Amino acid sequence: MKTEKEKFLAGEPYNIMDPELAADETHARRLCKQLNELDDTATTEKDHVIRQLFGSVGQRPWVQPNFRCDFGYNIHVGDDFMCNYDNVILDIAPVTIGDHCMLAPHVQIYAAYHPLDPAGRDAFVGLGKPVTIGDHVWVGGGSVILPGVTLGNNVVVGANSTVTKSFGDNVVIAGSPARVIRENVPVAK
């Protein structure tokens, strides 16, 4: 029989109150606190904590306070990842972010959700769907990206957008729910 953590890592429904997963969350919260309390001049220390917290990290990550996540080890970022102030990533499932991506302040990325059936919620069942963000993506301030969303390369998400579905490359999306407002965005070289 699988443990709750094994179910969690396999992307299956799991009990969110499991003690082993709770310990993982506590560990991530401690690393987030440590990261959030570091001065901007402590670049080596920040880099070290980010690499302890995230599952994988490219070159030159930059994360501003106050950053929050559930587990951290389900977050994978490429080179030159820039995460501005007060961002939240609920990494119940993998959250993969490509190279040269920027998250403006107050961005929230949710790979977590719960059952529609109240009995499942009452039983503390957790569910997750991966979120994937391509290269050269800019997510505007206050935006929310929901579970299961994939954004292609060179996407710009307008401020205060709610991204409920996936979008391909080279578009500007905005609104709640987000929709394409411009196509053929210039491609990064």
Side-chain angles (χ1 to χ4, degrees), residues 47-148:
D47 186 88
H48 179 72
V49 175
I50 292 165
R51 290 177 191 285
Q52 284 183 300
L53 179 61
F54 290 2
S56 61
V57 181
Q59 297 179 14
R60 297 172 301 278
W62 188 255
V63 178
Q64 294 283 60
N66 285 310
F67 177 79
R68 301 279 188 262
C69 65
D70 280 324
F71 296 94
Y73 53 67
N74 276 332
I75 300 172
H76 306 276
V77 299
D79 294 343
D80 299 309
F81 171 67
M82 203 289 273
C83 182
N84 216 317
Y85 298 102
D86 300 315
N87 284 289
V88 173
I89 299 177
L90 300 185
D91 60 316
I92 299 304
V95 174
T96 305
I97 301 172
D99 294 338
H100 307 284
C101 289
M102 298 171 32
L103 305 180
H106 301 283
V107 168
Q108 300 170 63
I109 300 175
Y110 301 150
Y113 69 104
H114 298 281
L116 294 176
D117 177 4
R121 292 192 306 273
D122 291 350
F124 298 106
V125 172
L127 302 164
K129 289 183 183 176
V131 173
T132 304
I133 297 174
D135 297 335
H136 302 281
V137 174
W138 173 25
V139 181
S143 293
V144 177
I145 299 175
L146 297 182

Side-chain angles (χ1 to χ4, degrees), residues 11-33:
E12 299 169 4
Y14 68 98
N15 182 328
I16 64 173
M17 304 306 272
D18 177 68
E20 184 178 13
L21 290 171
D24 287 355
E25 287 184 288
T26 298
H27 178 71
R29 273 197 282 287
R30 288 179 180 151
L31 288 172
C32 285
K33 181 178 185 208

